[in-house]
Amino acid sequence: MPYIGDELHHSGWNVCSSCHSDPLASRRFLIMLSLMSSRIYVVDTERDPRAPTLHKVVEPEHIIEKTGLTYPHTPHCLANGDIMVSFLGDKDGNAKGCGFLLLDSDFNVKGRWEKPGHSPLFGYDFWYQPRHKTMISSSLGAPCVFTEDFNIHHVAEGLYGRHLHIYKWPEGELKQIMDLGDTGLVPLGLKFLHDPDKDTGFVGCALSSNMIRFFKNPDGLWDHEVSIWEEPLKVRNWILPEMPALITEIVISLDDRFLYLSNWFHGDVRQYNIEDPANPRLTGQIRVGGLIRKGSPVVVEAEDGSTYQFDVPEVQGNQLRGGPQMIQLSLDGRRLYVTNSVFSNWDRKFYPEMVEKGSHMLQIDVNAEEGGLAINPDFFIDFGAEPEGPSLAHEIRYPGGDCTSDIWV
């Protein structure tokens, strides 16, 4: 990219399965969002996927002038060819200015999607389910806070979210705000089941380390319940006496059988069978990093007063740095790819060695029939070996579409 300091974060394709009615639509362009500069890059992958070219840059001044939005996070394509992007704040980094941007198929700014006065309390991820005429978005926090540092006291001060926002689709009318309470602090990755007839989905709440299921009641209102609870660990030599798992991302297999989550602090990736969405079953767990690995100053304190740490394997002689963060599942459900950078300032605070030496990508082989996870020993990408120096890898996309970008209508 031509600029330094963009902090390329999330990305998405210009079209997905929702555009099936257009025979000319193709996944040609990647929409690359810059969390810190608020630029939107459009990258052309058609000629040579190994050598993508920069097609267009949507400058932040143009976005702010037409919408007042800054800090873009999640893009999704729409069935009419437009692209919708969630933004986390206003020009001053206040969450009260967050909302949703629409780009047309030529990547021109159309304006805001939500109706005036219907902005969410906080912004982050979103997913729409057209057959239920609903879009739901999650809540991170105020950009002026989380882009500087993570301070636990800011949560109590109301600068981080604990809400889901339910919109009427496609009109953009905010119909309901669901307060998740203390069991839903900082809800991040949000996914509906892929089946477009289903009225249920999941959101991973980072700080409270819960997986919350949301669903529609017979009266048409949406409700929620905690479906997976991950207990914090009592630790020594850390910033707090207890360490949350910190669920930072989730992905659901295309057949809606399995849900995967990553725990950035605890360092494990988990697989749950969700064929009964109200009763997830743990079917796979693998440790690929984290803050409590052997050799770390942080130790877990057991009930009897003893301490322990976790074994973390090496891959091709490489010690795994950081914790598992972004995850992406192959279309056949058999390969789960994992990167480990959340956001550069947070990386520096919690995993300084990863920032110094670069992050990496792993492949986890999946038993897609019965469940189970295993590290592929033949796959390791070291982003510390980049020509311009160590890099921090974040989101993963497939040219043929993937489990977190495709929405069926």
Side-chain angles (χ1 to χ4, degrees):
M1 303 303 167
Y3 302 99
I4 299 296
D6 284 316
E7 188 90 23
L8 287 174
H9 201 62
H10 281 210
S11 63
W13 290 104
N14 60 311
V15 302
C16 72
S17 296
S18 66
C19 305
H20 67 92
S21 60
D22 182 357
L24 300 179
S26 65
R27 293 181 180 88
R28 173 178 177 177
F29 298 104
L30 265 178
I31 314 303
M32 308 288 295
L33 306 180
S34 304
L35 187 60
M36 291 303 292
S37 70
S38 297
R39 287 188 184 89
I40 298 178
Y41 292 103
V42 182
V43 176
D44 190 343
T45 67
E46 184 176 64
R47 293 183 180 178
D48 183 359
R50 293 176 178 266
T53 57
L54 185 58
H55 175 74
K56 184 172 183 176
V57 181
V58 183
E59 294 289 353
E61 294 80 9
H62 186 48
I63 296 171
I64 293 172
E65 179 185 356
K66 295 199 72 171
T67 67
L69 295 168
T70 60
Y71 301 95
H73 191 271
T74 299
H76 274 301
C77 65
L78 309 186
N80 65 358
D82 287 351
I83 296 157
M84 187 163 140
V85 180
S86 62
F87 276 70
L88 308 189
D90 63 11
K91 62 182 179 61
D92 298 314
N94 297 311
K96 65 181 180 181
C98 64
F100 305 92
L101 172 82
L102 286 177
L103 299 173
D104 65 21
S105 57
D106 293 319
F107 315 110
N108 300 307
V109 177
K110 295 181 66 173
R112 293 178 77 134
W113 170 76
E114 77 275 16
K115 290 182 178 294
H118 287 250
S119 297
L121 302 176
F122 296 94
Y124 194 74
D125 203 3
F126 71 97
W127 195 280
Y128 60 92
Q129 198 76 322
R131 296 186 189 180
H132 293 277
K133 299 180 179 179
T134 297
M135 187 276 278
I136 299 182
S137 67
S138 59
S139 309
L140 172 53
C144 60
V145 170
F146 74 74
T147 56
E148 295 297 323
D149 191 7
F150 177 72
N151 186 330
I152 190 67
H153 300 295
H154 290 152
V155 178
E157 293 170 6
L159 297 174
Y160 283 87
R162 62 181 211 181
H163 305 85
L164 299 184
H165 307 89
I166 293 90
Y167 281 88
K168 184 178 181 181
W169 183 266
E171 291 82 358
E173 179 183 348
L174 183 60
K175 301 289 290 184
Q176 182 183 346
I177 297 178
M178 192 185 303
D179 190 342
L180 306 180
D182 290 340
T183 60
L185 297 177
V186 195
L188 299 181
L190 179 149
K191 309 291 184 287
F192 266 102
L193 294 179
H194 293 288
D195 184 342
D197 287 325
K198 299 296 184 182
D199 63 353
T200 191
F202 295 86
V203 61
C205 300
L207 193 58
S208 52
S209 298
N210 298 331
M211 188 64 62
I212 286 181
R213 183 177 73 97
F214 52 85
F215 52 91
K216 188 164 64 174
N217 285 325
D219 61 6
L221 292 177
W222 291 78
D223 205 346
H224 72 280
E225 65 180 7
V226 176
S227 59
I228 299 169
W229 181 282
E230 297 194 64
E231 293 288 345
L233 296 175
K234 187 176 181 181
V235 294
R236 298 178 187 172
N237 309 321
W238 198 57
I239 58 175
L240 296 171
E242 290 189 336
M243 179 186 291
L246 208 78
I247 302 172
T248 50
E249 181 60 319
I250 69 171
V251 62
I252 296 174
S253 61
L254 285 185
D255 59 8
D256 289 335
R257 292 189 62 219
F258 292 105
L259 178 147
Y260 301 84
L261 63 84
S262 56
N263 290 323
W264 198 54
F265 282 169
H266 286 186
D268 59 317
V269 174
R270 297 190 180 193
Q271 176 197 54
Y272 287 86
N273 183 298
I274 55 168
E275 290 176 288
D276 178 2
N279 296 287
R281 293 185 295 107
L282 181 64
T283 50
Q285 182 178 11
I286 192 166
R287 199 161 298 279
V288 294
L291 291 167
I292 322 171
R293 63 188 310 149
K294 286 190 175 179
S296 163
V298 184
V299 296
V300 182
E301 184 176 342
E303 291 185 1
D304 61 4
S306 63
T307 62
Y308 64 91
Q309 295 176 310
F310 298 116
D311 284 315
V312 175
E314 292 186 347
V315 180
Q316 297 181 3
N318 296 284
Q319 187 180 53
L320 304 185
R321 300 183 287 269
Q325 210 286 102
M326 294 304 294
I327 50 179
Q328 187 61 262
L329 186 67
S330 60
L331 297 177
D332 63 4
R334 296 183 180 279
R335 299 177 311 281
L336 185 74
Y337 293 93
V338 183
T339 59
N340 45 6
S341 169
V342 167
F343 174 66
S344 60
N345 282 354
W346 289 29
D347 295 345
R348 290 187 189 96
K349 182 182 182 69
F350 296 107
Y351 293 107
E353 182 187 26
M354 180 180 70
V355 176
E356 178 186 354
K357 296 182 179 180
S359 65
H360 54 257
M361 181 187 291
L362 300 177
Q363 177 184 313
I364 296 176
D365 293 333
V366 176
N367 185 325
E369 285 76 34
E370 301 175 2
L373 305 173
I375 293 177
N376 184 332
D378 299 321
F379 185 100
F380 185 84
I381 297 178
D382 186 359
F383 292 96
E386 291 298 302
E388 300 298 323
S391 299
L392 298 171
H394 195 68
E395 193 164 50
I396 307 154
R397 289 289 173 215
Y398 296 148
D402 48 62
C403 295
T404 60
S405 64
D406 276 30
I407 293 176
W408 281 266
V409 296

